[in-house]
Amino acid sequence: MTTRPLALDRPAGWAGLTSAAILLLNAARRGGLIPDDLAFTHVLAPLAEGFGLFLVTGLFLAVRERGGALATVGYALNFLGLAGLLGVEYILNLVFPELTGDQITGLVDGLTGRVFTASSVVFLTGVLLFGAALWQARTVPRTAVAAYVLGAAPVALRGVLPAVTFPPGLLVMALGVAGLGIALVRSTAARATA
């Protein structure tokens, strides 16, 4: 692994930890542990993907040489999928609550629903490929990679799977994202002292 600028690892790691905290909040909200009608939880919800974009970029820089083409393609699709889900989450949390049921149904049955599905497919494909590259590179804990991939599956497939799978998926994904964030923060500290 080549020497990377220390300045990016630590913020990317902290972005991952922030994303994990918001994913836990989302899991609690979707699981009924906290009220679903609090405005601040709807505002925070999409930020998990926003901070996740920074985390996957930091991870990519950590594995790009060892991961080769698999890491590059996986990162690109993971990044694009997260960006798509960021938009989806804004719509679900900040636009749909202002619409009637018929308006929402009309949007989901049309182009909006197809874009939601495409974003989920790109995200899941990217997570699987990028997860495989991270697993192969052995630069971050494999348990964190496995949790990220396993948790992402029900999150990406929430339109197909029963709703009961979504909160546990968010929880498992949060654990994986936290582990990946911690690994980046620790790698920065280890390289700074080396």
Side-chain angles (χ1 to χ4, degrees):
M1 183 163 54
T2 61
T3 303
R4 298 182 318 278
L6 294 177
L8 183 60
D9 289 359
R10 188 174 299 241
W14 283 109
L17 290 169
T18 305
S19 177
I22 297 169
L23 288 169
L24 288 174
L25 179 69
N26 290 343
R29 181 173 63 100
R30 299 297 181 131
L33 298 176
I34 60 174
D36 190 31
D37 60 353
L38 300 174
F40 83 93
T41 61
H42 286 268
V43 170
L44 287 177
L47 297 178
E49 286 83 2
F51 285 109
L53 290 167
F54 197 26
L55 172 67
V56 297
T57 300
L59 289 168
F60 172 68
L61 293 175
V63 301
R64 67 181 167 192
E65 288 190 7
R66 286 187 184 185
L70 181 63
T72 302
V73 172
Y75 163 71
L77 291 174
N78 196 197
F79 188 94
L80 289 173
L82 272 173
L85 290 184
L86 175 64
V88 169
E89 285 297 315
Y90 270 112
I91 291 168
L92 293 177
N93 286 282
L94 301 171
V95 176
F96 278 8
E98 304 296 323
L99 303 177
T100 66
D102 289 341
Q103 290 172 319
I104 293 170
T105 301
L107 289 169
V108 171
D109 289 344
L111 178 61
T112 301
R114 291 191 294 276
V115 171
F116 283 5
T117 301
S119 296
S120 292
V121 169
V122 171
F123 172 67
L124 184 56
T125 304
V127 166
L128 292 171
L129 294 176
F130 194 49
L134 291 172
W135 186 274
Q136 182 180 343
R138 296 177 181 256
T139 56
V140 293
R142 286 182 158 186
T143 53
V145 174
Y148 177 60
V149 172
L150 291 174
V155 169
L157 299 172
R158 69 178 162 185
V160 178
L161 295 176
V164 71
T165 64
F166 187 57
L170 286 171
L171 176 62
V172 172
M173 189 174 172
L175 295 174
V177 168
L180 295 170
I182 289 168
L184 276 181
V185 171
R186 284 185 176 166
S187 73
T188 302
R191 286 189 296 118
T193 58

